[in-house]
Amino acid sequence: SNGTKMRNIEDTKRVVRSAKDKRFEELTNIIKTIRNAMKIRDMSKCLEEFEQLYRAFLKSKTIVDKEGVPQFYIRLLADLEDYLNQLWEDKEGKKKMNKNNAKALSTLRQKIRKYNKDFETEIVSYKENPEQSAEEEEKDDIGSASSSKSDDDEDVTAKSLMKKKPQEEEKKAPEASKFLKGAADEESESEEDEESEDWGSDSVDSGGESEDNEGAAASLAVVFLKKYVYGDKQPERKKDDRRKRHKKMEQVDEEADEEGEGEEGGWEKVKGGVPLVKEKPKMFAKGTEINNAVVIKKLNEILQARGKKGTDRSAQIELFHALAGISNENNLGEGILVKIKFNIIASLYDYNTNLAAFMKAEMWKKCLECIDELLDILFENSNIFIGENIAEDSENLAISDQPFRVRGCILTLVERMDEEFTKIMQNTDPHSQEYVDNLKDEGRVCGIIDRLLQYLESKGSTEEVCRVYLRRIMHTYYKFDYKAHRRSLGLQGETKSEQDQEESEGEDSAIIMDRLCKFIYAKDRTDRIRTCAILCHIYHHALHSRWYQARDLMLMSHLQDNIQHADPPVQILYNRTMVQLGICAFRQGMIKDAHNALLDIQSSGRAKELLGQGLLMRNMQERNAEQEKIEKRRQVPFHMHINLELLECVYLVSAMLLEIPYMAAHEFDARRRMISKQFHHQLRVGERQPLLGPPESMREHVVAASKAMKMGDWRTCHSFIINEKMNSKVWDLFPETQRVREMLVRKIQEESLRTYLFTYSSVYDSISMATLSEMFELELPTVHSIISKMIINEELMASLDQPTQTVVMHRTEPTSLQNMTLQLAEKLGGLVENNERVFDLKQGVYGGYFNRDQRGGYQQKQGYQRGDQKGGYQQRQNYQRGGYRNQNQSSY
Amino acid sequence: MGSLKESAVSGSNPLDSPVKQIQIDGLVVLKIIKHYQEEGQGSEVVQGVLLGLVVEDRLEITNCFPFPQHTEDDVDFDEVQYQMEMMRSLRHVNIDHLHVGWYQSTYYGSFVSRALLDSQFSYQHAIEESVVLIYDPIKTAQGSLCLKAYRLTPKLMEICKEKDFSPEALKKACIGYEHMLEEVPIVIKNSHLINVLLLDLQEKSTVADKHELLNLSSSNHLEKSLQLLMDRVDGMSQEIVKYNTYCRNLTKQQQQKQQYLQRRQQENTQRQSRGEPPLPEEDINKMFKPPQAPPRMDTLLIAGQVNNYCQNIKAFTSQNLGKLFMAEALQGHSS
């Protein structure tokens, strides 16, 4: 279609071009200006034009997408970059440059470097074989040179081709070439002047391009020859040529497209065009004797590029690998190998500059392998000393009688690897197969840590041992030891496969934990490691239902006093431990302890956040992106999570078992305190429901059970708490499901009995214990003990009649009138106090009107009444106050 | 009728007031009782207009009519219009049509309130001899008619006229809760014919409920009173706390003021010694705005109300105690 269009245009001599032509013309115009500016070294002009070019290129994006990036454009980019680099290198010239120019030069240089990244492949391919591109261009040239109305396109192509002329030739006969060109141009009717200028400029430019010389040399003669051939026939063939040319143009474009696609396909093979790689495909010049010194020198050379802008990090890793290979081939000894390995791993870690980003899978694999190999070497060669404190110059890498001394810290590398693993887990969707696959690496991580542990036990300092122990502990504490559990149940024989057999021969995790933790308690001198170890130890105890050990350790460590000074990750660990402790207490039937331990986490309503298991949406606006990032990094990986529903259920059920009897006992007490706000909240939510269907969620179950318990109906309560739904949601998650359920039933029976007695004692004059025992399916002694306890605690005004086995009620409850009188008395006390304050203010003297002592006594009594509700234990372990939470808030 | 007898005229001098005695027709009493029974329930209050005239220092109340109950959103209803209409109609049938006050029912003796104060003030301001009759239906239901007439004391009238309830003003006026309302003795007067009828009825009626006299089942009444009392005590506490804060703020500011003045003085003496003119005097009150004093009228009213409750409870319990002692004596005698 282009062709037909052109033909029409031809007649009117008007230049109406396709969109493509128009755009390309625009581009080439700008390119021309740039080249001119380059010639006169006007950098500011260059910069300005380059920006224009960039915009113009963006505008013609649609066409470029269709047609592929035009060669002339790529060429300009490549040339410009080379040109700028050359200028940059030229220190003398730079000094002479005026300020504006110098500034523009550096800006432009950075710009083009950044910009060229997008066209890396094209530029590289152009640089690698300029002749190919040139050949392609030839066809155009043929047309362009001969056509009378040569478009700017062609100018550029021709011009840029010519630019490739070998320098020598150019220098020898610049005039000749100009003349030749001039001859060609004179025959055509095109804008000769500009062109010839271009030519000149090109010849100057080409001085800088040494690489391209040979490629272009061969084609040059051909071009000229052809030009001349065409030149003779030109006038007659003008029209035909134009048509042909367009066809050819299309062909070329197609070819270019194909080329581009081909390149895209093989994208991975072409490594970036950074000079470092390009220039040194071979490590050492041939024939160099490869010895330690040379390799170390090389190593340092590579190292120097590390961390610098524009260094290709993946290439660097490659280089290190190559170096390792070379040193292996030449048997340079393990010392140097270890050194190189250290650097490989370090550069693997360096690969991601962003702290939040996590390693790619292949990198991660490589990293694991590397560390494994490194450990292999270290194990095989006991004469290698490594350490951070070995100075660079006191290293001994050569094979000699002396043992190797290498600077580097394997522990740090492994720690970093562990962190990377956590990061990978944090960044994987926990519900995907990928997560499971990633999690499989945990075994390897543990293996590496174990090996390192062995290594350091024999070689490392105590501090290092403590650190590696902590790593080991961190990978152990949250795992439930099934084989130990099985063994304790006496099910040894049931292990199915050999693998299981093998596994079960290992040490119990409890023993390992004990050994490692005790070492740390004894040897550690940094508080943090010890704190973490204690917390993990408690967690592990709690997880395995060793409640008393866990509790004693918690109380002995006095951690709850000063945990608020710890850093957030430790506080998260603390919160996790506390929760696990509470759940453990619940399993053991210590309802009150369970409630106390869980109270602070649950009452905040931010359990998820406090346990590091997710961010809450609602304070999105309160924290900025930076804080969010930090918090995200603190998150605990999914496989270590504590089930939040289980946690809430345990909390609510314990609250129910405590709160319902308490509520029944203090029904008329005006100053009744709530044991658990959270639980009351749930009850209120349940009451607000206009229509009560059968319970669905865990919470609804607990609320329904609470209502049943309020009436002393333990059977209904039982059926609400323990049923299939709740089993699958909560109770089956415990390792000793059956035992926990039995405990729960018993608790429900007991507390229901208490509630029943509180609620209905006023209805009875006396009640037989046998009846109670029957009603609540509890043994007579148990009923007896519960009632006795209630009587002793003065909760129940009654006495036991031994011969008849009955409870005889006494009415000593104050009537409501009496209650009210008491309240009034209290209020009047307050009133008097307030009044006195006014009086004091008037008198200016503090004193005298009323008997102070008396008042003090009254207050004391009040204080006592308030105080006695808190159990001593709760006070002692005022676990959470101002833990992670408070610090967090203050940091906001 | 015990309540009628113990009408202790408190504090103020009755000579100042134009009304020293009130004579109520039996008809009025019955109408008020009927009104409450028909319309009032629970803690709701019924109100109405008293009609009559003053004879020397005696106010004779000869008739009354109720305010109709109407809801807030009933905008069309015009109370004044209704009253005028009513009085005109009564005049047509030759009944006393002079407005001499109003009546109101009460719930366990809670009537000392701002609303009562305001409306009684406006009555007394417009018609000097106006009284308010307080009718306690609960006590009446227990067998003792409880009807009391109150007037604002002249002192309180003055204060209300000034509309200044600041602590200073009240202090100057020397008014306490016991000087707010004065009770006017009431006499119920019936026509001779009615008296004859009553005597006749007394003869005929059997003494059916005699044992009721010793009934102690009064805890409900006591409880309610206690509850209301407690509520008021709470209110009182709050008021006191408010006042306390005010006092503290005041002293604090006083101190600041003092400090400021001292500093200014020092500066001035320094300037004088240097021969400079003293700093211009600024309005110290502008710089230190005294804090807003809390109005004390509410406190007074609460105190009055608390006093009222206490009187009630006292009367009630003394009656009960009497009954108990009597019962004890009887028991001791019989055993």
Side-chain angles (χ1 to χ4, degrees):
Chain A
S1 66
N2 264 349
T4 48
K5 215 188 213 171
M6 280 299 156
R7 228 179 309 164
N8 301 339
I9 292 155
E10 205 65 24
D11 304 333
T12 51
K13 293 256 177 188
R14 263 179 60 214
V15 189
V16 177
R17 273 159 287 198
S18 69
K20 176 189 151 190
D21 289 350
K22 223 162 87 189
R23 289 282 173 227
F24 281 11
E25 188 194 351
E26 195 181 12
L27 289 179
T28 44
N29 273 335
I30 297 169
I31 287 173
K32 210 182 288 169
T33 348
I34 291 179
R35 290 214 186 266
N36 280 338
M38 275 160 76
K39 198 171 60 188
I40 56 168
R41 298 201 170 196
D42 186 357
M43 281 303 117
S44 33
K45 174 87 176 163
C46 239
L47 177 63
E48 203 181 296
E49 288 300 318
F50 177 71
E51 267 158 8
Q52 252 187 39
L53 178 67
Y54 171 66
R55 277 196 288 274
F57 187 72
L58 272 189
K59 258 196 269 172
S60 50
K61 186 95 176 71
T62 44
I63 296 162
V64 170
D65 283 346
K66 211 162 59 197
E67 309 271 355
V69 185
Q71 275 296 325
F72 58 84
Y73 190 70
I74 295 298
R75 202 174 298 134
L76 175 90
L77 290 179
D79 292 348
L80 192 58
E81 196 180 15
D82 288 344
Y83 171 71
L84 287 171
N85 281 336
Q86 182 202 344
L87 272 187
W88 191 252
E89 238 56 22
D90 181 13
K91 297 276 192 270
E92 286 296 316
K94 226 163 66 181
K95 266 179 203 158
K96 276 183 220 152
M97 236 179 241
N98 69 28
K99 220 174 172 187
N100 272 347
N101 258 354
K103 214 169 132 194
L105 171 64
S106 61
T107 332
L108 186 56
R109 189 166 156 269
Q110 276 176 7
K111 267 202 173 141
I112 193 131
R113 191 190 277 173
K114 222 161 105 194
Y115 187 64
N116 278 9
K117 286 234 166 78
D118 296 343
F119 301 98
E120 219 163 38
T121 37
E122 284 95 328
I123 291 172
V124 166
S125 73
Y126 161 71
K127 276 186 178 168
E128 264 171 4
N129 45 358
E131 64 262 67
Q132 194 197 332
S133 355
E135 262 164 20
E136 280 165 21
E137 234 62 58
E138 247 173 52
K139 297 163 193 164
D140 285 19
D141 277 336
I142 295 158
S144 73
S146 54
S147 71
S148 54
K149 281 204 177 258
S150 60
D151 278 348
D152 293 354
D153 282 15
E154 290 125 53
D155 289 350
V156 172
T157 48
K159 164 191 80 189
S160 39
L161 179 76
M162 294 323 288
K163 183 185 68 192
K164 306 279 170 329
K165 269 188 289 185
Q167 208 178 351
E168 301 84 13
E169 201 179 324
E170 194 87 48
K171 274 182 185 162
K172 267 185 233 158
E175 251 135 343
S177 70
K178 262 184 192 164
F179 170 71
L180 286 178
K181 269 177 268 159
D185 287 339
E186 263 162 20
E187 282 168 303
S188 64
E189 307 160 10
S190 59
E191 314 88 1
E192 307 91 334
D193 287 354
E194 260 182 47
E195 254 186 7
S196 57
E197 240 179 53
D198 283 348
W199 286 69
S201 80
D202 290 340
S203 57
V204 171
D205 287 346
S206 55
E209 299 152 5
S210 50
E211 297 161 284
D212 301 336
N213 293 345
E214 283 153 317
S219 57
L220 186 78
V222 183
V223 177
F224 277 82
L225 279 173
K226 278 188 183 166
K227 260 185 193 165
Y228 283 112
V229 171
Y230 275 99
D232 294 335
K233 302 173 184 173
Q234 196 214 4
E236 297 85 26
R237 297 181 60 174
K238 220 160 63 178
K239 280 184 186 176
D240 287 0
D241 272 345
R242 273 197 78 86
R243 234 167 285 152
K244 266 189 199 162
R245 186 171 56 79
H246 277 289
K247 275 179 193 159
K248 273 177 186 159
M249 278 283 278
E250 276 161 22
Q251 268 174 12
V252 169
D253 283 338
E254 271 167 26
E255 272 171 32
D257 275 356
E258 276 164 20
E259 191 185 52
E261 278 162 29
E263 272 168 8
E264 267 163 30
W267 156 253
E268 275 155 286
K269 285 176 215 156
V270 184
K271 287 287 177 205
V274 178
L276 190 74
V277 196
K278 283 276 134 209
E279 286 163 13
K280 294 168 178 125
K282 274 274 169 204
M283 281 285 178
F284 303 103
K286 253 182 195 167
T288 318
E289 192 199 345
I290 293 173
N291 57 21
N292 258 322
V294 175
V295 174
I296 289 169
K297 194 165 160 253
K298 188 80 219 164
L299 186 67
N300 287 335
E301 221 171 86
I302 302 168
L303 272 180
Q304 259 151 29
R306 179 180 168 191
K308 277 191 188 146
K309 244 184 166 181
T311 310
D312 186 342
R313 290 185 292 269
S314 60
Q316 228 188 349
I317 295 166
E318 294 290 315
L319 281 177
F320 277 128
H321 271 295
L323 203 58
I326 290 169
S327 72
N328 234 355
E329 275 168 31
N330 293 283
N331 282 327
L332 290 178
E334 281 77 19
I336 197 96
L337 202 58
V338 168
K339 177 89 180 158
I340 295 170
K341 288 273 180 211
F342 268 129
N343 283 314
I344 292 176
I345 296 164
S347 54
L348 278 171
Y349 293 148
D350 274 353
Y351 190 74
N352 280 324
T353 44
N354 189 351
L355 203 58
F358 61 104
M359 271 187 166
K360 288 197 198 82
E362 65 259 42
M363 286 283 183
W364 168 243
K365 291 269 179 312
K366 225 186 268 177
C367 176
L368 281 180
E369 275 164 25
C370 247
I371 292 178
D372 250 342
E373 282 165 24
L374 184 59
L375 280 169
D376 281 337
I377 298 171
L378 289 178
F379 270 108
E380 282 163 20
N381 304 280
S382 55
N383 60 342
I384 300 177
F385 286 106
I386 52 169
E388 280 173 300
N389 41 9
I390 296 172
E392 199 85 41
D393 42 9
S394 70
E395 279 187 324
N396 183 13
L397 302 174
I399 308 173
S400 60
D401 298 337
Q402 252 88 47
F404 294 110
R405 292 168 65 82
V406 184
R407 179 187 164 82
C409 182
I410 175 93
L411 178 60
T412 320
L413 291 181
V414 172
E415 278 178 343
R416 180 76 199 267
M417 172 202 74
D418 197 29
E419 276 154 29
E420 288 294 338
F421 178 68
T422 314
K423 240 191 261 177
I424 289 174
M425 295 320 279
Q426 279 168 354
N427 284 293
T428 317
D429 173 17
H431 304 292
S432 62
Q433 183 61 33
E434 198 189 348
Y435 192 89
V436 180
D437 292 339
N438 284 342
L439 195 55
K440 283 175 188 160
D441 283 339
E442 218 250 339
R444 284 189 72 184
V445 172
C446 285
I448 287 174
I449 290 175
D450 263 341
R451 294 183 64 193
L452 181 68
L453 192 144
Q454 276 172 26
Y455 178 76
L456 286 179
E457 267 175 352
S458 58
K459 294 216 165 173
S461 66
T462 0
E463 269 167 61
E464 285 175 320
V465 175
C466 281
R467 270 162 73 189
V468 78
Y469 275 9
L470 184 65
R471 286 285 151 188
R472 180 74 172 85
I473 289 168
M474 285 298 202
H475 277 278
T476 315
Y477 79 97
Y478 64 91
K479 290 175 189 158
F480 189 78
D481 193 349
Y482 280 97
K483 60 182 192 222
H485 180 61
R486 259 202 310 267
R487 208 175 302 157
S488 72
L489 292 178
L491 298 175
Q492 182 69 50
E494 281 185 27
T495 43
K496 288 154 207 156
S497 64
E498 274 179 29
Q499 199 195 352
D500 276 1
Q501 198 75 42
E502 203 174 284
E503 264 179 15
S504 61
E505 272 161 19
E507 240 179 328
D508 269 6
S509 65
I511 299 168
I512 298 174
M513 284 294 287
D514 213 45
R515 185 165 52 80
L516 300 184
C517 288
K518 278 186 179 149
F519 183 86
I520 290 178
Y521 301 156
K523 297 282 166 63
D524 175 59
R525 261 171 284 140
T526 66
D527 221 22
R528 192 177 184 276
I529 291 183
R530 192 177 35 236
T531 309
C532 288
I534 292 174
L535 288 173
C536 292
H537 204 178
I538 297 169
Y539 190 104
H540 194 260
H541 277 316
L543 191 64
H544 295 82
S545 299
R546 294 187 291 272
W547 155 248
Y548 288 105
Q549 282 106 304
R551 188 199 61 182
D552 292 347
L553 200 51
M554 179 55 98
L555 292 179
M556 276 192 301
S557 64
H558 292 287
L559 273 177
Q560 54 273 51
D561 301 334
N562 47 21
I563 193 68
Q564 65 267 29
H565 305 305
D567 51 295
V570 177
Q571 289 189 12
I572 287 175
L573 182 61
Y574 174 80
N575 288 340
R576 282 165 60 76
T577 307
M578 228 44 244
V579 165
Q580 199 56 251
L581 197 62
I583 293 172
C584 173
F586 181 79
R587 282 198 305 257
Q588 303 297 309
M590 323 269 177
I591 301 300
K592 197 162 181 189
D593 292 324
H595 180 266
N596 285 340
L598 299 180
L599 178 65
D600 282 309
I601 295 277
Q602 275 294 315
S603 61
S604 66
R606 299 191 302 159
K608 201 171 164 193
E609 200 180 340
L610 294 182
L611 292 174
Q613 302 190 353
L615 306 175
L616 287 188
M617 282 303 150
R618 72 185 152 82
N619 22 354
M620 263 321 187
Q621 68 275 18
E622 284 170 26
R623 64 172 164 235
N624 52 35
E626 192 54 39
Q627 274 165 344
E628 200 184 322
K629 251 185 229 161
I630 294 171
E631 272 178 43
K632 261 195 184 142
R633 233 174 291 148
R634 281 187 203 139
Q635 297 304 302
V636 176
F638 182 74
H639 60 280
M640 294 164 75
H641 279 197
I642 295 171
N643 189 324
L644 289 177
E645 190 167 27
L646 172 83
L647 166 63
E648 196 182 354
C649 180
V650 164
Y651 175 75
L652 285 179
V653 170
S654 355
M656 175 187 87
L657 290 174
L658 292 174
E659 187 83 70
I660 297 289
Y662 180 82
M663 275 163 70
H666 296 83
E667 208 182 342
F668 300 109
D669 194 343
R671 259 203 340 221
R672 192 178 66 194
R673 293 172 342 107
M674 280 187 258
I675 294 178
S676 160
K677 261 195 179 147
Q678 187 84 1
F679 178 69
H680 276 274
H681 175 71
Q682 292 303 336
L683 281 189
R684 273 200 299 277
V685 168
E687 273 162 21
R688 238 179 282 144
Q689 222 81 164
L691 194 67
L692 262 186
E696 287 286 335
S697 69
M698 177 273 295
R699 284 180 197 152
E700 284 167 9
H701 270 100
V702 176
V703 169
S706 305
K707 277 187 187 148
M709 193 189 242
K710 245 187 221 166
M711 314 300 292
D713 182 357
W714 76 271
R715 278 190 186 80
T716 321
C717 180
H718 172 210
S719 69
F720 277 130
I721 291 290
I722 297 171
N723 51 36
E724 260 173 47
K725 232 182 216 164
M726 289 291 272
N727 275 346
S728 66
K729 263 184 191 157
V730 180
W731 308 125
D732 284 346
L733 300 175
F734 286 132
E736 299 164 297
T737 312
Q738 202 47 45
R739 215 175 53 75
V740 171
R741 275 198 285 256
E742 276 159 19
M743 179 278 296
L744 250 181
V745 176
R746 178 134 193 115
K747 285 282 168 199
I748 288 172
Q749 286 168 337
E750 287 175 12
E751 295 304 328
S752 299
L753 169 62
R754 276 160 55 79
T755 313
Y756 185 82
L757 284 177
F758 282 134
T759 316
Y760 298 109
S761 65
S762 57
V763 185
Y764 290 101
D765 269 332
S766 65
I767 184 167
S768 129
M769 280 200 279
T771 319
L772 285 175
S773 145
E774 202 179 298
M775 273 171 74
F776 292 94
E777 293 185 8
L778 288 164
E779 311 83 53
L780 208 59
T782 319
V783 175
H784 187 272
S785 91
I786 290 172
I787 292 172
S788 305
K789 226 184 267 173
M790 286 167 78
I791 291 171
I792 288 170
N793 289 337
E794 297 186 341
E795 291 170 324
L796 185 69
M797 298 305 158
S799 55
L800 286 171
D801 189 43
Q802 201 58 45
T804 52
Q805 288 285 317
T806 50
V807 190
V808 182
M809 304 291 176
H810 304 293
R811 294 284 136 66
T812 52
E813 289 285 299
T815 62
S816 62
L817 186 64
Q818 281 163 329
N819 265 331
M820 217 177 281
T821 326
L822 286 173
Q823 278 177 40
L824 180 64
E826 203 173 292
K827 280 190 174 149
L828 286 174
L831 183 64
V832 168
E833 217 167 283
N834 280 332
N835 224 356
E836 254 178 88
R837 249 179 238 143
V838 177
F839 186 71
D840 283 343
L841 212 66
K842 272 219 171 100
Q843 297 299 303
V845 204
Y846 226 87
Y849 188 69
F850 274 84
N851 189 347
R852 292 277 146 191
D853 290 347
Q854 214 175 355
R855 213 178 60 174
Y858 176 70
Q859 277 176 334
Q860 262 175 3
K861 208 175 109 202
Q862 230 176 5
Y864 171 69
Q865 278 172 341
R866 266 177 217 144
D868 69 357
Q869 305 287 356
K870 285 184 199 160
Y873 180 59
Q874 197 191 358
Q875 267 180 338
R876 233 186 319 146
Q877 35 173 244
N878 215 343
Y879 289 134
Q880 206 59 49
R881 302 269 175 258
Y884 172 47
R885 233 174 332 156
N886 283 4
Q887 244 187 16
N888 245 7
Q889 271 159 3
S890 63
S891 73
Y892 285 154
Chain B
M1 295 283 166
S3 55
L4 280 185
K5 277 171 220 154
E6 54 157 304
S7 53
V9 180
S10 48
S12 73
N13 190 354
L15 280 173
D16 298 345
S17 112
V19 182
K20 285 189 188 133
Q21 204 188 22
I22 294 170
Q23 180 185 307
I24 309 177
D25 262 17
L27 170 77
V28 176
V29 177
L30 288 175
K31 265 179 113 172
I32 293 173
I33 294 174
K34 187 161 170 268
H35 180 198
Y36 178 81
Q37 272 181 345
E38 277 171 359
E39 288 184 25
Q41 48 187 210
S43 55
E44 255 178 61
V45 161
V46 296
Q47 289 175 327
V49 176
L50 297 175
L51 301 170
L53 72 166
V54 184
V55 181
E56 290 169 349
D57 60 354
R58 190 177 73 233
L59 174 66
E60 291 182 1
I61 302 172
T62 52
N63 213 329
C64 67
F65 63 89
F67 286 143
Q69 299 275 9
H70 66 96
T71 47
E72 291 287 322
D73 44 38
D74 195 0
V75 195
D76 298 335
F77 184 76
D78 186 353
E79 228 166 65
V80 179
Q81 183 73 33
Y82 173 78
Q83 280 182 34
M84 301 314 275
E85 196 72 30
M86 202 61 189
M87 282 194 274
R88 202 172 301 132
S89 311
L90 287 172
R91 188 184 186 177
H92 284 308
V93 289
N94 217 11
I95 290 174
D96 277 338
H97 61 273
L98 292 177
H99 208 152
V100 293
W102 57 300
Y103 69 87
Q104 187 197 304
S105 71
T106 172
Y107 180 66
Y108 288 109
S110 57
F111 61 87
V112 188
S113 66
R114 195 60 190 256
L116 179 118
L117 181 75
D118 287 347
S119 51
Q120 179 59 20
F121 170 71
S122 56
Y123 267 107
Q124 233 166 299
H125 195 57
I127 308 158
E128 218 200 342
E129 65 269 17
S130 299
V131 293
V132 54
L133 270 185
I134 302 292
Y135 161 67
D136 189 337
I138 292 157
K139 265 196 190 164
T140 309
Q142 280 173 349
S144 51
L145 173 66
C146 183
L147 199 63
K148 292 186 185 185
Y150 289 99
R151 283 169 58 76
L152 301 185
T153 57
K155 267 184 192 172
L156 193 63
M157 282 300 288
E158 262 168 50
I159 291 168
C160 286
K161 246 181 248 170
E162 298 289 324
K163 293 225 182 299
D164 181 9
F165 300 128
S166 66
E168 282 79 26
L170 292 185
K171 207 166 145 192
K172 217 171 90 190
C174 258
I175 193 155
Y177 66 89
E178 58 279 83
H179 303 142
M180 288 166 67
L181 297 173
E182 58 176 346
E183 196 179 332
V184 190
I186 294 175
V187 175
I188 298 176
K189 187 182 177 266
N190 287 323
S191 70
H192 296 306
L193 268 174
I194 293 173
N195 281 338
V196 169
L197 176 69
L198 282 177
L199 286 171
D200 196 29
L201 284 174
Q202 207 171 15
E203 285 282 294
K204 281 179 190 165
S205 70
T206 50
V207 194
D209 301 334
K210 263 199 177 150
H211 61 278
E212 285 284 309
L213 282 175
L214 287 177
N215 190 6
L216 289 178
S217 69
S218 49
S219 66
N220 190 34
H221 189 241
L222 204 54
E223 242 175 69
K224 268 272 150 39
S225 301
L226 270 179
Q227 244 170 29
L228 291 164
L229 179 60
M230 258 194 279
D231 180 54
R232 289 295 77 198
V233 169
D234 274 349
M236 182 77 121
S237 275
Q238 276 168 19
E239 289 291 326
I240 286 182
V241 169
K242 252 190 241 167
Y243 184 65
N244 208 1
T245 339
Y246 159 71
C247 283
R248 229 177 303 132
N249 287 343
L250 198 66
T251 26
K252 215 190 283 169
Q253 207 183 43
Q254 219 81 37
Q255 279 173 352
Q256 280 176 345
K257 210 157 144 185
Q258 214 63 42
Q259 275 177 357
Y260 174 80
L261 281 176
Q262 267 180 358
R263 232 182 303 128
R264 181 51 74 89
Q265 213 171 11
Q266 276 178 353
E267 216 169 307
N268 271 351
T269 44
Q270 269 184 1
R271 275 169 160 263
Q272 237 166 8
S273 64
R274 275 181 290 173
E276 291 170 41
L279 288 169
E281 288 295 320
E282 284 166 40
D283 192 1
I284 195 99
N285 285 336
K286 250 184 203 166
M287 295 177 65
F288 294 101
K289 258 196 183 146
Q292 189 73 39
R296 295 292 284 160
M297 190 38 104
D298 288 337
T299 325
L300 270 185
L301 286 170
I302 292 172
Q305 184 64 63
V306 168
N307 185 41
N308 219 327
Y309 285 136
C310 286
Q311 298 288 355
N312 265 345
I313 291 169
K314 210 169 90 187
F316 197 81
T317 43
S318 58
Q319 271 182 28
N320 273 348
L321 277 176
K323 282 178 197 168
L324 282 173
F325 279 127
M326 203 152 72
E328 199 184 19
L330 279 172
Q331 258 182 341
H333 203 261
S334 63
S335 64

